[in-house]
Amino acid sequence: MAQTQEGVYRRQDSRFWWIATTLPNGKRIRQSAGTETRQDAEALLAKIRLEAFREHHFGIKTQRSWQEAVVRYLTIKASLRSFRDVNRICRMLDPYLGSLTLNQINGDVIWSVVQGQLKKGNTPATVNRYLALIRNLLKMARDEWQWIDSIPKIRLLPGEVERDRWLTREEADQLIAAAPEHLAALIRFALATGCRAREITGLEWNRVDLDRRTAWLNRTKNGTPRGVPLNADAVAVLQEQMGKHEQFCFTYRSQPILWDLTNTAWRNAIKKAGLKDFRFHDLRHTWASWHRQAGTSCDELKDLGGWKSRNMVDRYAKFATENLAFAASRIETGKDRKVIPLSRFCHAKDVNQSLKPANSLS
């Protein structure tokens, strides 16, 4: 067997110079230098050897670039349903971080990202999405990839207004009446189950058991399959869809719904119903709000909605005050009062009188 060539060399099938070497840790490197000049190839080889020597003997890690980290990060996130948003944010951050190594990203750099995005008119909520991605990527680079030893502390901006948009029963009825038949079915099912748009459009008949009144979702936002109990409203919607498609429960013109539901039909229904600033995902907020108003506990709601964290459900706690009703009634008019009738001002006057010298003039 021919011995593998070391150093820089040419290959007949490539116009570039190639490099080959064995690093101090025993790892073999053989790759294209990406250059047509021998001098540049030798410089690249020397750089790789020097960085490997420093890391192996002195524990000095190789300087990794932000762009290199983004490539690995996007590969890991490729299976997420939110991948398009992740990819978009990475592109938006490239003007700020694209030319930097991970070790160069410090508090000043993060500040420049924040100020640059705020000057563009983005809200704190939007800027926080960017900051959250930077923080998550850097944590992975430190904890999982061991590319860096430390990361800057990144705090999200205050002042982010939590969205609190939900429908009354009357508004929901108006929206259903204004929507075309296929969209009305989706709306009704969302209000009955709290399922997200993609969970509904991807629901298949082999994951529905109407006798047990249960559906099993395999395409959830957090990637964890879960069961969904079906109340009478949800069962009625599914019964109306039977026979329209062999595989998928919800269709449009006998075809699966593969597009975003916030389309022309949705916007027209919103306008016809007289609603403003309402998204399809707000149907899930509506469902959760109705549950809390009906007395469903936060723990029950967490399991019903498939949330992993109780913190995600606590936002709906304001809709239920039954557990505080008895406490609030303690000071109702006409009840036996147990409040001590003290006056702070009278008490202060008595104290002042007691502090006066005996021979002082009143």
Side-chain angles (χ1 to χ4, degrees):
M1 182 180 294
Q3 185 175 1
T4 304
Q5 192 168 1
E6 286 277 342
V8 298
Y9 61 95
R10 298 296 298 266
R11 285 177 32 164
Q12 294 182 353
D13 60 347
S14 174
R15 62 188 178 91
F16 297 122
W17 283 86
W18 281 65
I19 59 176
T21 187
T22 302
L23 302 180
N25 60 3
K27 181 180 179 182
R28 287 281 304 162
I29 294 291
R30 186 173 62 178
Q31 65 183 55
S32 170
T35 178
E36 298 182 27
T37 64
R38 182 185 182 93
Q39 183 178 4
D40 290 341
E42 289 176 342
L44 175 61
L45 178 58
K47 178 178 179 293
I48 292 175
R49 284 173 170 170
L50 176 60
E51 290 178 345
F53 181 86
R54 295 173 66 188
E55 181 174 357
H56 181 74
H57 293 285
F58 303 110
I60 302 174
K61 288 184 170 61
T62 302
Q63 297 293 311
R64 303 281 192 157
S65 69
W66 167 261
Q67 291 185 342
E68 186 179 2
V70 166
V71 171
R72 176 175 288 196
Y73 186 76
L74 290 178
T75 301
I76 294 173
K77 301 296 183 180
S79 61
L80 295 181
R81 292 188 174 276
S82 59
F83 176 74
R84 292 176 59 184
D85 289 334
V86 174
N87 193 22
R88 175 183 57 81
I89 294 175
C90 287
R91 290 198 306 269
M92 295 294 294
L93 291 172
D94 192 69
Y96 302 98
L97 309 175
S99 62
L100 303 178
T101 63
L102 296 180
N103 286 325
Q104 291 176 320
I105 300 176
N106 54 27
D108 290 335
V109 173
I110 301 301
W111 177 257
S112 69
V113 174
V114 172
Q115 294 304 305
Q117 290 302 309
L118 290 177
K119 288 179 181 178
K120 288 183 178 181
N122 288 327
T123 64
T126 299
V127 178
N128 282 343
R129 303 293 83 76
Y130 298 165
L131 295 178
L133 186 143
I134 297 173
R135 184 168 62 184
N136 183 249
L137 186 149
L138 292 179
K139 283 184 177 181
M140 293 183 71
R142 180 194 63 187
D143 301 336
E144 299 180 24
W145 312 337
Q146 285 83 49
W147 284 7
I148 50 179
D149 294 321
S150 61
I151 62 176
K153 189 173 185 62
I154 301 177
R155 295 183 182 274
L156 301 185
L157 298 182
E160 181 175 345
V161 179
E162 185 180 84
R163 187 172 179 83
D164 186 23
R165 186 70 172 94
W166 55 280
L167 299 179
T168 64
R169 294 281 183 175
E170 293 73 17
E171 289 173 330
D173 291 340
Q174 294 171 6
L175 178 59
I176 293 171
E181 182 180 355
H182 75 282
L183 181 57
L186 296 169
I187 295 172
R188 291 166 56 203
F189 194 80
L191 291 172
T193 62
C195 291
R196 302 175 179 90
R198 290 180 182 242
E199 294 172 346
I200 300 174
T201 56
L203 183 61
E204 301 178 10
W205 285 115
N206 61 4
R207 293 184 174 273
V208 174
D209 188 337
L210 292 182
D211 292 332
R212 296 174 59 187
R213 296 173 65 135
T214 302
W216 293 273
L217 303 179
N218 65 330
R219 300 178 181 179
T220 63
K221 181 180 179 181
N222 55 32
T224 304
R226 65 185 178 92
V228 178
L230 304 174
N231 60 19
D233 294 336
V235 170
V237 176
L238 288 173
Q239 288 175 338
E240 295 170 4
Q241 310 309 309
M242 296 180 67
K244 294 184 178 181
H245 197 273
E246 293 183 358
Q247 181 179 1
F248 291 96
C249 299
F250 295 93
T251 59
Y252 175 66
R253 294 180 178 177
S254 300
Q255 296 297 322
I257 300 174
L258 304 177
W259 57 87
D260 186 3
L261 295 181
T262 307
N263 53 14
T264 302
W266 172 262
R267 289 190 290 270
N268 289 341
I270 290 295
K271 183 177 180 181
K272 187 176 179 181
L275 303 176
K276 294 182 180 179
D277 186 30
F278 193 79
R279 309 171 304 187
F280 191 92
H281 191 72
D282 291 329
L283 295 172
R284 180 170 167 87
H285 297 319
T286 299
W287 165 84
S289 302
W290 287 358
H291 261 290
R292 289 296 289 139
Q293 293 173 41
T296 303
S297 70
C298 284
D299 290 331
E300 290 174 324
L301 185 59
K302 172 181 171 294
D303 293 337
L304 285 172
W307 283 286
K308 285 189 174 182
S309 170
R310 168 66 185 266
N311 294 334
M312 300 296 293
V313 185
D314 286 342
R315 62 183 297 188
Y316 302 106
K318 59 182 176 289
F319 292 109
T321 59
E322 293 85 354
N323 60 319
L324 299 176
F326 178 75
S329 68
R330 291 187 180 127
I331 60 170
E332 287 178 353
T333 303
K335 285 203 171 184
D336 182 21
R337 304 197 178 194
K338 298 180 180 179
V339 180
I340 301 174
L342 293 179
S343 170
R344 184 177 65 85
F345 300 104
C346 292
H347 176 68
K349 182 179 178 181
D350 293 340
V351 171
N352 290 335
Q353 290 289 342
S354 65
L355 294 177
K356 285 184 179 182
N359 57 353
S360 63
L361 296 177
S362 58

